[in-house]
Amino acid sequence: EVSDISANYAAMASCTWIRKGLDIAKLPRVRLNNIQDLPGAKKKAVRVGRGPGSGRGKTCGRGHKGQGQRNKKRVRVGFEGGQTPFYLTVPKRGFKNKFQIEYEPLNLNRLQYLIDGGRIDASQPITMHTLHKAGAVGKIKHGVKLLADGADWFSHKVNIEVSKASKSAITAVEGRGGSIVTAHYNQLGLRVLLKPEAFAGRPLPRRALPNKKLMPYYLNPENRGYLAVTEAGKQRMKEAGISGAYLGPDGRVHIPGKRVTLYSDPSPPLEDCQQTGETQCGRSGPTAGSDANSEDLETPV
């Protein structure tokens, strides 16, 4: 058996050595006592500094003096002999936003492939925990964003929850009868979602709300935000302690019963509400003077 394996290795190498004029068939039969490298497989190292007759004497082929003569060190990449290198003569352009949130992309064609392969069950709700277990995306650091590549041939009805989604992806998913919800998770919330076994036997931490920059996105029903003005959104708001919050025409998020909005800007004064008769002010209208300190006050939207 060992000889057969060795013969196979010799056969694979025969095409190379036949071109070099060596006939493998004339070599002795391979046995354990005569296994050796093929002729020419090992080359002797060039001996330098052994006289002028070798061709590599004295300077050993390095030439006389200079930077290449000294030891085996080579100049680093970008070194130009001491003059100002090129990359220092060109001014810097742009910057890197250290506050930028980068989501793991997930295209519809990838989702279709995983469902067809049986790695994801389309009949069950799909969360980021499902995508993580199926290997749909890489390391989830901030969340997953659903994109629309492959929307033309995406055919499954799915109920999926991701961090963000493009307008084309939302249209494609809902066009097949499915539903999509965009939900916010901070770092701790993602750990609870992706690895619930790590919190077994321990009280789960309270889910964090989006910050002031992300809150308008998740309150907008066009983005299918989980805090949008729907029955499910109102329930999530109530659980989060921001019942009745809404996105005002001024682009700020208002919370009824609180003097400030999520943008830390003061709500319209009570006098302005009484004059205009608005019901979506920071104190929920002119008749809410006695309930100004109520935290659970809701405003019809």
Side-chain angles (χ1 to χ4, degrees):
E1 183 179 352
V2 174
S3 62
D4 293 340
I5 295 175
S6 302
N8 291 336
Y9 280 111
M12 287 189 291
S14 61
C15 57
T16 302
W17 293 101
I18 287 175
R19 287 198 301 267
K20 294 185 176 182
L22 181 64
D23 190 359
I24 299 295
K26 294 181 181 180
L27 294 177
R29 184 176 177 82
V30 178
R31 291 184 173 85
L32 288 176
N33 63 336
N34 65 357
I35 293 178
Q36 60 183 355
D37 293 322
L38 292 172
K42 288 187 177 180
K43 293 183 178 180
K44 292 184 178 180
V46 178
R47 301 179 72 221
V48 296
R50 292 300 182 268
S54 66
R56 291 292 186 269
K58 192 186 175 186
T59 57
C60 306
R62 289 175 175 264
H64 287 275
K65 302 181 181 178
Q67 206 165 23
Q69 168 87 21
R70 314 299 185 209
N71 301 326
K72 292 185 178 180
K73 295 181 179 179
R74 296 291 183 267
V75 296
R76 58 178 172 79
V77 177
F79 183 69
E80 299 181 9
Q83 68 178 11
T84 304
F86 171 75
Y87 62 86
L88 288 182
T89 62
V90 179
K92 295 181 180 180
R93 293 182 61 86
F95 72 102
K96 181 176 177 61
N97 185 6
K98 64 179 181 180
F99 300 107
Q100 182 180 3
I101 300 177
E102 295 183 359
Y103 297 96
E104 284 293 320
L106 174 65
N107 286 289
L108 291 177
N109 53 9
R110 173 69 173 168
L111 184 60
Q112 174 86 25
Y113 169 77
L114 294 172
I115 294 176
D116 291 342
R119 295 165 63 179
I120 293 180
D121 187 3
S123 62
Q124 300 296 326
I126 301 174
T127 64
M128 286 186 283
H129 178 263
T130 309
L131 300 175
H132 174 68
K133 291 296 183 182
V137 293
K139 182 179 180 181
I140 302 178
K141 186 176 181 181
H142 297 289
V144 177
K145 183 172 183 178
L146 188 65
L147 302 177
D149 282 358
D152 296 336
W153 50 281
F154 183 75
S155 58
H156 290 286
K157 176 183 177 181
V158 295
N159 298 322
I160 186 170
E161 179 189 87
V162 290
S163 299
K164 284 191 175 183
S166 64
K167 298 297 173 80
S168 303
I170 294 174
T171 303
V173 171
E174 294 181 345
R176 274 68 172 179
S179 63
I180 182 170
V181 175
T182 57
H184 170 74
Y185 291 91
N186 63 351
Q187 297 284 331
L188 181 58
L190 276 177
R191 288 204 300 270
V192 175
L193 177 66
L194 301 180
K195 297 182 179 179
E197 63 276 2
F199 294 85
R202 299 161 50 188
L204 296 180
R206 184 177 180 181
R207 185 172 175 180
L209 289 171
N211 58 31
K212 63 180 182 180
K213 291 184 178 179
L214 295 176
M215 180 63 81
Y217 181 90
Y218 294 107
L219 281 172
N220 193 344
E222 294 182 359
N223 301 324
R224 304 304 183 264
Y226 76 118
L227 297 177
V229 185
T230 60
E231 293 301 325
K234 290 179 180 179
Q235 180 64 27
R236 295 190 191 101
M237 285 186 187
K238 190 172 182 180
E239 294 174 357
I242 56 170
S243 181
Y246 65 93
L247 185 64
D250 54 357
R252 297 183 299 174
V253 179
H254 297 265
I255 303 178
K258 295 182 182 291
R259 285 291 294 176
V260 295
T261 65
L262 293 181
Y263 278 80
S264 298
D265 294 334
S267 300
L270 183 60
E271 294 76 11
D272 295 345
C273 298
Q274 293 173 347
Q275 294 176 2
T276 59
E278 295 179 357
T279 60
Q280 292 185 348
C281 291
R283 293 202 173 192
S284 303
T287 61
S290 60
D291 296 333
N293 296 324
S294 175
E295 295 291 331
D296 296 327
L297 189 62
E298 293 192 11
T299 305
V301 180

